[in-house]
Amino acid sequence: MNIQNRTEQSRRNFLRELALGSSLLLLSAPWLKAFASGEKESAEKNNTVSIAVIGTGSRGMQLLSYLLRIQQSANIRIIALCDNYQPNLEQAFGLCQKSDVSPKTYADYREMLANEKPDGVIIATPLTEHAFIAVDCMQAGIHTFCEKAMARTCDDVKLMYDAHRETGKVLQIGHQRMFNPIYLEGMKRIQEGAIGQIGQMRAYWHRNNNWRRPLPDNNPALERQVNWRLYKDLSVGVLTELMTHQLQVGMWVLDKVPESVVGTASQVFWKDGRTIPDNASLIYSFDNGVQFVYDSMTSNRKYGLEEQILGSEGTIEFETNRIFSESIPPAPGIRQLIHSIERGVFEHIPIGGASWVPETAVKYDGTKLMADDFYEDSQFQLEAFAGFIRQGSIPDRMIREAYYTSIWTLLGETAIDEGRKVFLPEQYRIS
Amino acid sequence: MKIIEINIFRQLRLLLYIFIFFNLLNVAGILIFRTSWSELYSQLGFVVLLTLICWLFFLFVKIVYRFIRKRNEPRISI
């Protein structure tokens, strides 16, 4: 057994054990049933799941490579690829051929739906195209995985959710952290009360790059198609591309939906014709008084990204896989003794003392949540998608959380644009 | 040129004394700060490190001292 197979097996065992062994965890992550229902799944695993990929740009290619990697273990067959940009389509087809897979290729997803009948479809197109493609796929009877955020407008998000309810087809949104063992373990600890009562959640995502992708052949006609993330009518920039992942974590932690949001954003550094802001700050408030405080920027990356869950007895930092206790374990006796001798010697030298000591962060490494710091959660979510297709359903909480994450991400934009505190409009409330 | 002679047994004895001293310091630390007795072995690495540092410091001071004091003697015994 090679290392990859061993890792694969231990990860699957881990998820299965977690799901079977802890009702607490199933409560916080019911989607784990996709991994846990071993008997049912193994009985049906002989049924090959056919998948089509719509959108073979950078994210689509990543997802395709994961699909190719798990096609044997998850019994998946990639039957079709679709992209309206021919070079991307050819590149994706080339990737498949390297794995001896020859899917059919299409430039129009409607043509693909007319000719193919995949069990599931993966949508990784620009944000504004998610809704109508996803709705058409579900109405054609195809289970759908769609990249986050769900759509560019709240109406489109609702449309997708309604199509899922009406057709009964799976609609899974690409919030891969839901399948990450570090997050699952962290959620379990939170449920067990390891960090006490949560007072606040802080999250940030800082980058230092222009987020601009090179245009093929320097063709300016492709600018909006390639750099759609930079244009406000096509994307909400850092909100829909970055924050939405972290807001989902915040909702998962509390198992609640925010009550209101306030925010501000501006263009500080990248003034190159883009119409989205390059930094943003938002505060989401929940009905128990907890806030989710968020900021993002693209001209400094010192602090990178993190989701910090601040409790009365501890803190969890998911991205760095750590849990910290508020009561720091004391240093060993001999070290304390040497330190106090040292302090006794030097503090008797009269050099004047500070009248105030700054309350800087406590320097303490905490402990790891999981043994490994990195898991291929994007791959896990596709394995789960195959499982959901076989089950023919997806846990309700999972789609509700994704739905409200997208809605509240877009309401964050409204708060910024209108400079006011925004509440959930009734028409977007789901039962 | 001076010849420095290091008496192995004398140094080992010194090392042992220092090691015992820091172990006693470890016990004192446990008693004063009411920490776990398991630190007797969990902090052994730190105790050994302190012992070595202290011994090297002693050795250095001794060499310098003897070197200055017995400037005219060709052989220095440590």
Side-chain angles (χ1 to χ4, degrees):
Chain A
M1 191 184 280
N2 63 29
I3 291 171
Q4 193 179 344
N5 282 346
R6 270 206 303 271
T7 313
E8 186 69 7
Q9 199 176 42
S10 68
R11 180 196 57 80
R12 289 193 74 84
N13 286 342
F14 162 77
L15 289 169
R16 193 162 287 137
E17 278 165 20
L18 270 184
L20 290 174
S22 167
S23 55
L24 249 183
L25 192 73
L26 267 182
L27 213 63
S28 72
W31 44 90
L32 279 179
K33 281 177 185 163
F35 292 101
S37 55
E39 280 178 31
K40 189 185 174 196
E41 208 190 326
S42 62
E44 292 176 0
K45 213 164 182 176
N46 294 328
N47 305 333
T48 304
V49 169
S50 58
I51 302 263
V53 178
I54 302 175
T56 54
S58 58
R59 184 59 180 161
M61 283 289 276
Q62 272 177 359
L63 295 177
L64 182 61
S65 64
Y66 290 129
L67 285 175
L68 290 167
R69 197 188 290 173
I70 62 169
Q71 58 175 334
Q72 304 294 336
S73 61
N75 199 5
I76 287 170
R77 194 160 58 92
I78 301 158
I79 61 163
L81 301 173
C82 176
D83 200 299
N84 58 8
Y85 184 58
Q86 193 61 25
N88 278 358
L89 192 58
E90 283 167 12
Q91 205 182 354
F93 185 73
L95 184 70
C96 288
Q97 281 198 314
K98 279 182 193 163
S99 304
D100 294 327
V101 177
S102 293
K104 288 186 182 165
T105 55
Y106 295 89
D108 189 329
Y109 80 94
R110 292 179 197 89
E111 193 191 340
M112 189 192 85
L113 294 183
N115 291 307
E116 308 289 338
K117 182 70 178 126
D119 296 313
V121 70
I122 287 172
I123 301 170
T125 58
L127 183 62
T128 45
E129 295 167 13
H130 287 178
F132 61 85
I133 298 177
V135 169
D136 284 352
C137 288
M138 284 185 277
Q139 283 175 349
I142 302 167
H143 298 297
T144 301
F145 173 98
C146 182
E147 260 306 322
K148 58 77 213 166
M150 282 174 77
R152 178 63 187 86
T153 67
C154 289
D155 286 341
D156 279 352
V157 173
K158 185 74 170 38
L159 219 64
M160 288 169 76
Y161 180 78
D162 289 344
H164 154 71
R165 299 289 288 186
E166 282 160 23
T167 60
K169 292 293 155 190
V170 168
L171 175 59
Q172 185 181 342
I173 305 302
H175 289 295
Q176 64 266 26
R177 283 165 180 76
M178 287 182 181
F179 301 93
N180 189 319
I182 294 169
Y183 285 78
L184 294 167
E185 177 64 20
M187 294 303 168
K188 186 170 150 243
R189 303 268 189 107
I190 290 167
Q191 299 264 332
E192 288 168 350
I195 60 166
Q197 188 186 331
I198 293 164
Q200 195 176 67
M201 298 181 286
R202 297 194 310 196
Y204 49 84
W205 200 321
H206 294 184
R207 285 179 169 175
N208 193 351
N209 59 47
N210 69 3
W211 222 1
R212 196 173 269 291
R213 291 182 179 169
L215 299 178
D217 304 324
N218 279 327
N219 181 1
L222 295 170
E223 167 65 8
R224 282 170 58 84
Q225 194 176 348
V226 172
N227 286 311
W228 55 270
R229 290 174 187 81
L230 305 181
Y231 297 96
K232 196 163 161 54
D233 54 329
L234 302 175
S235 164
V236 198
V238 293
L239 269 66
T240 45
E241 299 310 309
L242 307 179
M243 185 194 76
T244 188
H245 281 302
Q246 298 170 296
L247 182 58
Q248 182 267 317
V249 172
M251 290 191 197
W252 186 8
V253 165
L254 294 183
D255 191 16
K256 280 178 183 291
V257 173
E259 235 184 14
S260 66
V261 56
V262 290
T264 179
S266 48
Q267 216 173 56
V268 180
F269 192 79
W270 299 108
K271 296 176 180 174
D272 55 359
R274 69 186 64 193
T275 53
I276 53 151
D278 59 13
N279 78 24
S281 299
L282 297 110
I283 301 174
Y284 288 88
S285 303
F286 292 80
D287 64 357
N288 57 355
V290 175
Q291 295 136 359
F292 176 85
V293 182
Y294 187 79
D295 71 275
S296 185
M297 66 187 300
T298 50
S299 56
N300 181 298
R301 64 182 173 89
K302 181 178 189 301
Y303 294 102
L305 86 159
E306 190 56 88
E307 299 96 40
Q308 303 169 327
I309 314 303
L310 314 172
S312 57
E313 287 166 34
T315 300
I316 283 182
E317 293 186 355
F318 282 112
E319 296 288 345
T320 43
N321 183 25
R322 302 209 83 81
I323 180 165
F324 304 85
S325 171
E326 281 290 288
S327 40
I328 301 165
I334 187 169
R335 290 174 197 237
Q336 291 188 62
L337 188 62
I338 287 173
H339 182 63
S340 68
I341 293 169
E342 195 181 39
R343 218 171 36 200
V345 170
F346 290 106
E347 281 182 3
H348 281 97
I349 301 169
I351 50 167
S355 57
W356 177 76
V357 179
E359 290 181 62
T360 49
V362 177
K363 284 181 184 140
Y364 152 58
D365 288 339
T367 52
K368 284 187 170 200
L369 282 165
M370 291 294 292
D372 294 328
D373 289 333
F374 179 75
Y375 294 87
E376 286 283 14
D377 46 12
S378 289
Q379 181 183 313
F380 302 165
Q381 68 177 350
L382 294 179
E383 287 181 307
F385 181 49
F388 295 142
I389 291 174
R390 288 194 181 92
Q391 289 175 1
S393 65
I394 187 167
D396 193 45
R397 179 172 164 185
M398 194 175 174
I399 180 62
R400 283 171 59 86
E401 211 161 277
Y403 169 82
Y404 275 125
T405 299
S406 286
I407 290 284
W408 277 101
T409 299
L410 295 166
L411 291 177
E413 182 196 21
T414 309
I416 289 167
D417 289 348
E418 298 179 8
R420 66 181 174 93
K421 191 174 190 176
V422 171
F423 299 87
L424 181 70
E426 270 312 306
Q427 71 262 33
Y428 301 126
R429 197 175 295 281
I430 53 173
S431 53
Chain B
M1 199 173 84
K2 286 189 192 342
I3 295 168
I4 299 173
E5 276 181 355
I6 296 178
N7 186 322
I8 297 290
F9 292 107
R10 194 187 293 170
Q11 292 309 317
L12 279 176
R13 204 171 56 215
L14 177 65
L15 206 59
L16 183 70
Y17 290 153
I18 299 171
F19 181 67
I20 291 169
F21 169 75
F22 278 113
N23 269 295
L24 289 173
L25 205 69
N26 195 7
V27 172
I30 290 167
L31 289 171
I32 294 168
F33 295 98
R34 292 178 186 177
T35 52
S36 165
W37 284 104
S38 64
E39 286 176 11
L40 274 181
Y41 52 86
S42 70
Q43 292 304 306
L44 206 61
F46 187 58
V47 167
V48 169
L49 182 75
L50 287 174
T51 304
L52 288 174
I53 291 169
C54 196
W55 173 71
L56 284 171
F57 177 73
F58 266 119
L59 200 65
F60 174 74
V61 170
K62 238 174 171 180
I63 290 172
V64 171
Y65 176 74
R66 295 281 168 93
F67 194 82
I68 296 166
R69 201 166 160 229
K70 301 182 177 179
R71 199 175 291 169
N72 298 324
E73 289 177 19
R75 197 175 286 269
I76 295 172
S77 177
I78 303 288

